[in-house]
């Protein structure tokens, strides 16, 4: 009977740990940082939580209950930093003018992250000057920049895949898959998830990634585009199926999105070049402010069809495809099937030229 009671108590304690989580304490020193505040964004019970942390005399202290190792964000007015935490005591030391170089002790997962990121330094050095020239050069050089950035992305993916393959039971491997799943494609992410050990897949994070993959699968190349009906800026109903018979660029954007607005002239150029050859554009705005949406349409001189539910990222179509970042786009063929995703810059023109001018 005594042993039975001990067993029951043990089960209760284990359940309590799983329900209530475990404690983490982060102490830090940001040298020469003025007194003030920053925020820590983390998850608890599958919900995002934001805590405000005080910096006093260059020091701060934050304690919370977490369910296990996770990536958090230290959010300052003009920047944010990633910090990987786990239950226990963690210490952070940094300098106000170089917080991105902060040193972290007491987090084994942060050690793993730092070690892997060091293997990507050569790619960062190649990538940085390309982004500085992006959009500021001629057509041929721009296309070469886009191709080189794509090549760098493939090398990064290859190194990520190798790390996951050799660390299948590592929670950081699963976090890398989750990061890829946020903006990546099903074709890219599913093979990475397949490398994860079943015991790690069964965690709450593993289940979360599994559900995300179900959503990403909807936009696999060759899948039928979701048929939607939505109002344009004049309150008139627009049906997607009415546009079938042409190549359609379905462009997700918003008035507040800087990269979207910067890409609009490129989309306009493509529209004007190919609109008489069986091509059109449908813009789906993720705005929640009607006036700003309409103003942006006018300012950017966008003549193509524009629709929105003014629900932000809760838009019916963006929710269906799990879109978390914009600009984002699908190129749909005359039969309504997705043939390409996220074509921007000269790649958009090159693809359309191959598809439409080959008919001549």
């Amino acid at each position: 009977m005594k042993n039975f009671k001990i067993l029951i108590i043990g089960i209760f304690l284990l359940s309590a740990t799983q329900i209530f989580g475990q404690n983490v304490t982060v102490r830090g020193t940001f040298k020469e940082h003025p007194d003030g505040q920053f925020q820590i964004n983390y998850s608890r019970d599958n919900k995002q939580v934001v805590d405000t942390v005080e910096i006093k005399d260059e020091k701060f202290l934050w304690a919370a209950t977490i369910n296990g190792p996770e990536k958090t964000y230290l959010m300052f007015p003009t920047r944010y930093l990633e910090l990987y935490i786990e239950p226990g005591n963690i210490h952070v030391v940094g300098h106000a003018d170089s917080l991105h170089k902060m040193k972290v002790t007491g987090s084994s997962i942060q050690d793993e992250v730092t070690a892997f990121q060091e293997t990507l330094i050569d790619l960062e050095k190649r990538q940085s000057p390309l982004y500085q020239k992006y959009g500021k050069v001629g057509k041929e050089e721009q296309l070469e920049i886009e191709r080189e950035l794509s090549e760098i992305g493939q090398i990064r993916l290859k190194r990520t895949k190798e790390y996951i393959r050799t660390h299948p039971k590592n929670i950081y491997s699963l976090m890398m898959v989750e990061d890829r799943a946020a903006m990546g494609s099903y074709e890219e992410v599913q093979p990475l998830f397949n490398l994860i050990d079943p015991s790690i897949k069964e965690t709450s994070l593993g289940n979360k990634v599994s559900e995300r993959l179900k959503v990403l699968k909807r936009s696999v190349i060759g899948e039928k585009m979701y048929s939607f009906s939505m109002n344009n800026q004049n309150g008139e109903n627009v049906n997607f199926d009415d546009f079938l018979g042409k190549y359609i660029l379905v462009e997700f954007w918003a008035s507040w999105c800087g990269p979207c607005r910067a890409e609009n002239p490129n989309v306009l150029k493509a529209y004007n070049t190919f609109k008489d050859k069986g091509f059109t554009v449908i813009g789906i705005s993720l705005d929640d402010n009607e006036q700003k949406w309409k103003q942006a349409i006018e300012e950017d001189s966008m003549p193509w069809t524009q629709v929105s539910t003014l629900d932000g990222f809760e838009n019916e179509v963006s929710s269906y495809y799990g879109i978390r970042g914009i600009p984002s786009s699908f190129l749909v063929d005359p039969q309504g099937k997705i043939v390409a995703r996220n074509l921007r810059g000269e790649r958009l023109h090159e693809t359309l030229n191959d598809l439409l001018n080959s008919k001549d």
Side-chain angles (χ1 to χ4, degrees):
M1 187 67 177
K2 181 179 179 182
N3 289 337
F4 178 74
K5 289 181 178 178
I6 292 174
L7 177 62
I8 293 297
I9 292 171
I11 293 174
F12 173 78
L13 290 174
L14 177 60
S15 299
T17 298
Q18 292 174 336
I19 295 172
F20 299 111
Q22 297 170 284
N23 295 328
V24 59
T25 299
V26 180
R27 290 180 172 83
T29 301
F30 290 148
K31 298 176 182 178
E32 296 189 18
H33 198 292
D35 291 352
Q37 298 178 337
F38 67 93
Q39 293 180 320
I40 294 186
N41 187 316
Y42 66 106
S43 63
R44 185 169 61 210
D45 301 328
N46 293 322
K47 295 181 180 179
Q48 288 303 117
V49 181
V50 179
D51 288 349
T52 298
V53 182
E54 298 284 341
I55 301 177
K56 180 69 173 177
D57 297 329
E58 301 182 343
K59 299 185 182 299
F60 71 89
L61 172 64
W62 175 71
T65 300
I66 58 175
N67 296 329
E70 68 167 286
K71 178 169 66 173
T72 68
Y73 297 92
L74 310 189
M75 303 172 68
F76 295 82
T78 59
R79 76 187 83 179
Y80 76 90
L81 308 171
E82 294 179 355
L83 174 64
Y84 288 78
I85 63 173
E86 58 192 29
N89 296 304
I90 298 171
H91 192 235
V92 175
V93 176
H95 195 279
D97 63 3
S98 55
L99 290 178
H100 63 287
K101 297 180 180 179
M102 65 183 184
K103 303 297 181 183
V104 181
T105 55
S107 172
S108 59
I109 189 169
Q110 181 69 61
D111 293 340
E112 294 165 8
V113 173
T114 301
F116 178 72
Q117 289 177 342
E118 288 176 353
T119 69
L120 304 177
I121 290 176
D122 63 316
L123 299 183
E124 299 292 342
K125 289 181 178 178
R126 279 182 61 187
Q127 193 171 263
S128 181
L130 294 175
Y131 278 128
Q132 290 176 8
K133 293 192 295 183
Y134 192 95
K136 303 174 184 177
V137 296
K139 177 179 177 180
E140 291 302 320
E141 188 175 356
Q142 176 67 22
L143 194 55
E144 185 57 36
I145 288 174
E146 291 172 8
R147 286 173 178 163
E148 188 170 354
L149 286 173
S150 178
E151 177 187 328
I152 293 171
Q154 288 303 309
I155 296 173
R156 184 187 294 267
L157 176 60
K158 183 178 180 181
R159 294 182 189 178
T160 299
K161 185 175 183 179
E162 180 60 19
Y163 182 92
I164 295 171
R165 187 188 69 78
T166 55
H167 300 79
K169 295 184 178 181
N170 193 320
I171 193 67
Y172 176 50
S173 292
L174 182 57
M175 287 180 177
M176 294 171 82
V177 179
E178 183 192 26
D179 284 346
R180 285 276 174 176
M183 300 291 288
S185 65
Y186 176 86
E187 298 94 325
E188 171 192 313
V189 179
Q190 184 64 58
L192 299 179
F193 191 60
N194 291 341
L195 297 173
I196 299 293
D197 189 84
S199 64
I200 304 300
K201 287 182 179 179
E202 292 169 2
T203 62
S204 59
L205 180 58
N207 291 330
K208 181 180 177 182
V209 174
S210 181
E211 291 301 311
R212 174 68 177 165
L213 280 164
K214 293 177 183 178
V215 175
L216 292 180
K217 195 172 184 179
R218 296 169 179 168
S219 58
V220 164
I221 301 299
E223 284 295 306
K224 196 87 170 178
M225 178 70 192
Y226 179 82
S227 179
F228 60 87
S229 177
M230 212 176 301
N231 285 350
N232 65 16
Q233 68 270 39
N234 299 317
E236 301 163 337
N237 190 255
V238 174
N239 291 299
F240 172 77
D241 289 349
D242 291 342
F243 293 81
L244 296 178
K246 296 182 177 182
Y247 280 92
I248 310 162
L249 182 70
V250 180
E251 181 83 4
F252 297 89
W253 73 288
S255 65
W256 46 261
C257 170
C260 302
R261 304 292 294 273
E263 179 65 12
N264 280 339
N266 185 59
V267 177
L268 178 60
K269 180 181 176 182
Y271 177 80
N272 289 332
T273 302
F274 299 103
K275 65 180 180 179
D276 297 325
K277 296 187 176 184
F279 170 71
T280 192
V281 181
I282 301 177
I284 299 181
S285 168
L286 304 189
D287 276 286
D288 57 13
N289 184 300
E290 184 176 7
Q291 182 179 354
K292 291 182 178 179
W293 171 42
K294 292 181 177 180
Q295 183 178 344
I297 294 172
E298 183 177 350
E299 289 177 350
D300 291 3
S301 302
M302 296 183 279
W304 52 85
T305 300
Q306 293 285 349
V307 296
S308 181
T309 58
L310 296 174
D311 292 321
F313 276 88
E314 298 303 313
N315 177 279
E316 177 185 359
V317 186
S318 65
S319 295
Y320 179 79
Y321 287 112
I323 291 173
R324 295 178 177 174
I326 50 178
S328 183
S329 66
F330 299 144
L331 182 63
V332 181
D333 73 7
Q335 289 73 48
K337 293 183 179 180
I338 299 171
V339 295
R341 293 183 302 263
N342 297 325
L343 294 173
R344 290 194 280 277
E346 288 300 324
R347 287 181 60 238
L348 173 60
H349 297 267
E350 185 180 55
T351 302
L352 291 174
N353 186 64
D354 290 342
L355 290 170
L356 298 171
N357 284 339
S358 61
K359 297 180 180 180
D360 296 342

